[in-house]
Amino acid sequence: LVVIAGAAARLEFTAEPVNITTADAFDLVVTARDAFGNTAASFVSTATLTLTGDSPAGTLTGTTTRTSAAGIISFPGIGIS
């Protein structure tokens, strides 16, 4: 059985930091998924991380705009100052 993923239907965080402080750098991974949850390897785009809310506490540091590779967007060394 070979699964061929469809077009990207959503983006989801697939690797998130745990127990960090504002001084810590951390890595995030975002994966494009098709309607069935498969990695949409044909997805090619850029993504930008931002802080949102009524009053975001801090500023993101590191490279916050990255391009996908095989449906995966990696954000290494992100921080909040």
Side-chain angles (χ1 to χ4, degrees), residues 21-42:
T21 66
T22 56
D24 295 335
F26 55 91
D27 300 334
L28 293 172
V29 177
V30 177
T31 301
R33 300 282 190 197
D34 71 6
F36 300 100
N38 302 304
T39 299
S42 63

Side-chain angles (χ1 to χ4, degrees), residues 13-65:
F13 286 103
T14 49
E16 303 175 40
V18 182
N19 299 325
I20 62 167
T21 66
T22 56
D24 295 335
F26 55 91
D27 300 334
L28 293 172
V29 177
V30 177
T31 301
R33 300 282 190 197
D34 71 6
F36 300 100
N38 302 304
T39 299
S42 63
F43 177 79
V44 177
S45 188
T46 58
T48 301
L49 296 174
T50 60
L51 295 175
T52 62
D54 293 336
S55 162
T59 302
L60 287 176
T61 60
T63 303
T64 58
T65 299

